[in-house]
Amino acid sequence: MANPGIVRNPSAPQVEPSTIAKLRTIAVALLSDQLHRNCGSIGLRPYHAPAPMAGTAVTVKTRGGDNLAILRAYDFCRPGDVMVVDAGGDTTNALVGGIMTFAAASLGLAGMVLDGAIRDAAEIGARTFPVYARGVSHRGPYKDGPGEINVPITVGGMVVNPGDVIVGDQDGLLAFQPALAASVIEKALAQHQKEEATMQAIRDGRWDRSFVDVLEARCAN
């Protein structure tokens, strides 16, 4: 049997559009707080003009600096999906630049996440199409493969499975199972209300900091 070059698996079902719309309005930090604050990516940052991101993950695993699998993965992305690429954190050569991110936006993707490098950073930074990456390199990509599409991957220490919810803002990225979305959203909105109440108390000069005494009393030192 001939080597297919790129292992291809079907994309997972998309998360409900109404759920994605709600997630786009909630800060990633609030969502993270509902997931024990111990998940989410580390070391990837947004390179686009500030804009929230939420969508269904289509995952890609590739060699560092090689984008053949990324090019093929466009065929597996639907409007509203986020392409999430595991390139092992290598930043020697860029995986995508202005053209490929513009193509992703034109196809209706909700964003791109790359544990690797991009180029054309100024061009990408002038757009609101979400692009997260580990770094920047002017060196262009190779197109030799191999790669895999829709397999479990890791980006910035965060495991992402095909079909996961993935959200992002200026604070970073978070991925979780769609089955958790309703609970996470409900709890995040409740926390937002509490935080708004705290902000109002600060404005009014009635911020109760007695909780600091409780925290200090249990300090192990």
Side-chain angles (χ1 to χ4, degrees):
M1 179 178 178
N3 184 349
I6 306 300
V7 176
R8 313 172 193 185
N9 297 301
S11 296
Q14 286 187 297
V15 181
E16 285 291 327
S18 59
T19 299
I20 295 299
K22 291 176 184 176
L23 288 167
R24 200 173 282 121
T25 67
I26 303 173
V28 170
L30 284 174
L31 298 169
S32 176
D33 282 351
Q34 316 317 313
L35 294 165
H36 310 294
R37 302 180 177 181
N38 65 352
C39 55
S41 70
I42 298 172
L44 275 65
R45 60 164 291 244
Y47 282 89
H48 54 286
M53 180 188 76
T56 304
V58 171
T59 63
V60 182
K61 188 172 181 63
T62 186
R63 279 193 314 130
D66 192 291
N67 71 7
L68 180 61
I70 298 172
L71 288 164
R72 178 56 66 196
Y74 284 122
D75 297 334
F76 292 77
C77 290
R78 304 145 299 192
D81 286 338
V82 176
M83 189 190 296
V84 188
V85 181
D86 177 359
D90 183 273
T91 58
T92 307
N93 290 73
L95 295 166
V96 302
I99 291 175
M100 288 183 65
T101 54
F102 181 74
S106 299
L107 291 170
L109 273 69
M112 297 185 80
V113 175
L114 307 110
D115 199 348
I118 61 166
R119 66 177 184 176
D120 305 324
E123 183 178 344
I124 289 169
R127 305 174 186 154
T128 57
F129 176 72
V131 178
Y132 294 80
R134 184 168 291 278
V136 176
S137 174
H138 60 82
R139 296 179 176 182
Y142 297 99
K143 299 177 179 358
D144 301 320
E148 299 174 85
I149 297 171
N150 285 318
V151 295
I153 61 170
T154 303
V155 292
M158 176 176 70
V159 175
V160 183
N161 290 293
D164 276 355
V165 174
I166 183 158
V167 293
D169 61 16
Q170 294 304 106
D171 284 345
L173 296 157
L174 180 66
F176 54 90
Q177 298 172 8
L180 299 175
S183 175
V184 169
I185 289 170
E186 181 182 3
K187 292 176 181 178
L189 292 175
Q191 181 178 331
H192 177 67
Q193 290 183 338
K194 291 179 181 178
E195 292 185 357
E196 284 296 304
T198 299
M199 292 290 285
Q200 189 58 51
I202 293 171
R203 295 186 193 100
D204 296 341
R206 52 181 179 82
W207 184 27
D208 180 5
R209 296 190 297 280
S210 60
F211 68 91
V212 178
D213 295 330
V214 177
L215 293 173
E216 190 174 4
R218 74 181 191 187
C219 181
N221 295 328

